[in-house]
Amino acid sequence: MNKTVVIYSCVLLLGVFVSAISQVMLKKSAMKQYESKIKEYMNPLVIIAYIMFVGTTFLSIIAYKGIPLSMGPILEATSYIYVTFFGVKIFKEKLNSKKIIALALIIVGIVVYALG
């Protein structure tokens, strides 16, 4: 893998990570009670999370200029790992055997692609 592909892969991974953080922000916001629908959607946490989502879209556009199209979905699959980690650490969600097996399969798929 050449240096350019590595740099653009890191850009995509950064975008995926930021997207996972914005998902956590939206979930945190959804867990609160609001006086009205307007306040539910127009609070700073939601607005910042959606701005971050827009930013990740631009990061993806930039990344796909330097990585093979087939590599994108593999790198984007890391979002499941980030979201699961944040779910366990921040929201105290429990991992069951199905989730662990699914994460293991995702990681194996990423490794197989990277080695192949």
Side-chain angles (χ1 to χ4, degrees):
M1 201 180 314
N2 67 35
K3 186 177 178 179
T4 303
V5 172
V6 171
I7 291 169
Y8 283 104
S9 296
C10 290
V11 169
L12 185 59
L13 287 172
L14 174 65
V16 171
F17 183 74
V18 170
S19 176
I21 291 171
S22 63
Q23 289 177 46
V24 169
M25 292 169 67
L26 289 172
K27 185 170 182 174
K28 279 268 198 198
S29 179
M31 295 171 77
K32 297 178 184 175
Q33 292 293 105
Y34 297 93
E35 299 170 13
S36 69
K37 287 289 183 190
I38 300 245
K39 288 185 179 182
E40 183 175 348
Y41 292 103
M42 297 304 291
N43 70 68
L45 201 58
V46 170
I47 293 169
I48 292 169
Y50 281 120
I51 290 170
M52 290 169 69
F53 269 132
V54 171
T56 63
T57 301
F58 288 116
L59 288 174
S60 294
I61 292 167
I62 292 166
Y64 276 110
K65 289 182 177 184
I67 63 171
L69 191 57
S70 62
M71 182 185 276
I74 303 300
L75 296 175
E76 289 175 3
T78 60
S79 68
Y80 295 108
I81 299 165
Y82 303 140
V83 169
T84 302
F85 176 79
F86 291 144
V88 169
K89 291 295 181 184
I90 296 171
F91 300 111
K92 308 299 182 210
E93 295 174 353
K94 302 291 181 205
L95 278 179
N96 59 33
S97 59
K98 288 182 182 180
K99 287 181 184 178
I100 293 170
I101 291 169
L103 287 173
L105 288 172
I106 290 168
I107 293 168
V108 166
I110 292 169
V111 169
V112 166
Y113 181 85
L115 296 176

